[in-house]
């Protein structure tokens, strides 16, 4: 049994994802990037992350050529920046870096200064699928902000985590009762 693409996309819209910009390019004029919700940690030994990139994206070829990239997780104030890097604002390639505050990372790739977290990586492995590549990067440098909230994508829109109800703390006995009662 196969699932049609539309049903798959509709179901995935209900799965919240952290919004990130994947950036690449050490030379002004040759930088590019894209918006993703397909980036996550892989391992802490060595510290590694992975990101899925469509082979049609301009950043795909550049990541292969440069052998490095940065995953910049966005804060709740970055919704327009996410749209810009997604191509929905008609801005392409290096012109996307006119928006936001950028610095150069350890690998030479662009790092968003006020990202929730930025993982500067050297490409160590690539796995190909029909339409995407899974890029695995070993983290060379990390930056994290403690005073900003992350941007999430859910049900075809951007949201602040403050829109989500208070978290349940597993160490709290009452929270465990609430947690189990909700599932019983």
């Amino acid at each position: 049994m196969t699932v049609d693409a539309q049903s798959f996309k509709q179901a995935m819209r209900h799965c919240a994802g952290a919004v990130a910009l994947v950036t690449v390019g050490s030379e002004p004029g040759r930088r590019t990037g894209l918006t993703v919700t397909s980036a996550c940690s892989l391992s802490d030994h060595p510290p590694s992350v992975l990101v899925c990139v469509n082979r049609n994206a301009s950043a795909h070829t550049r990541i292969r050529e440069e052998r490095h990239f940065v995953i910049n997780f966005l804060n709740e104030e970055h919704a327009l920046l996410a749209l810009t890097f997604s191509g929905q604002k008609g801005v392409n390639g290096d012109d996307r870096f006119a928006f936001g505050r950028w610095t150069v990372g350890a690998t030479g790739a662009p790092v968003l200064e006020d990202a929730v977290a930025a993982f500067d990586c050297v490409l160590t492995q690539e796995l190909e699928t029909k339409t995407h590549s899974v890029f695995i990067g070993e983290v060379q440098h990390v930056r994290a902000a403690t005073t900003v909230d992350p941007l999430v994508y859910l049900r075809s829109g951007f949201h602040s985590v403050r829109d989500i109800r208070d978290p349940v703390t597993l160490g709290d006995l009452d929270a465990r009762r609430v947690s189990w009662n909700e599932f019983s």
Side-chain angles (χ1 to χ4, degrees):
M1 180 165 120
T2 58
V3 175
D4 66 279
Q6 191 58 32
S7 295
F8 174 76
K9 289 177 186 178
Q10 186 62 33
M12 287 303 299
R13 288 184 181 116
H14 296 285
C15 302
V19 182
L21 302 180
V22 177
T23 54
V24 61
S26 50
E27 299 174 33
R30 294 195 30 89
R31 299 174 299 178
T32 193
L34 72 155
T35 304
V36 302
T37 56
S38 60
C40 65
S41 66
L42 177 63
S43 175
D44 65 354
H45 187 70
S48 303
V49 293
L50 66 82
V51 63
C52 304
V53 178
N54 190 303
R55 282 192 264 164
N56 292 327
S58 62
H60 186 275
T61 301
R62 300 292 296 132
I63 291 169
R64 279 183 165 171
E65 292 171 357
E66 298 266 346
R67 310 293 300 167
H68 67 255
F69 58 92
V70 176
I71 300 174
N72 302 276
F73 284 94
L74 301 183
N75 75 51
E76 64 185 349
E77 302 296 323
H78 289 141
L80 288 176
L81 191 58
L83 288 172
T84 300
F85 273 75
S86 73
Q88 294 185 39
K89 294 291 184 186
V91 182
N92 297 308
D94 198 66
D95 293 339
R96 293 175 175 172
F97 295 91
F99 304 91
R101 295 187 326 268
W102 299 93
T103 189
V104 177
T107 63
V111 176
L112 184 62
E113 289 182 5
D114 57 347
V116 169
F119 299 88
D120 194 353
C121 306
V122 171
L123 179 64
T124 59
Q125 192 173 1
E126 176 185 352
L127 307 169
E128 289 190 33
T129 70
K130 191 171 189 175
T131 59
H132 288 66
S133 289
V134 179
F135 291 120
I136 298 173
E138 187 173 313
V139 179
Q140 304 298 300
H141 188 262
V142 64
R143 295 174 62 148
T146 58
T147 59
V148 294
D149 288 322
L151 182 67
V152 295
Y153 188 77
L154 176 65
R155 296 187 183 111
S156 303
F158 296 114
H159 302 274
S160 167
V161 293
R162 283 185 267 151
D163 298 338
I164 301 169
R165 70 182 191 139
D166 292 333
V168 175
T169 304
L170 295 178
D172 178 21
L173 182 57
D174 291 331
R176 280 187 278 179
R177 283 190 196 118
V178 169
S179 175
W180 285 111
N181 287 338
E182 289 178 2
F183 294 108
S184 299

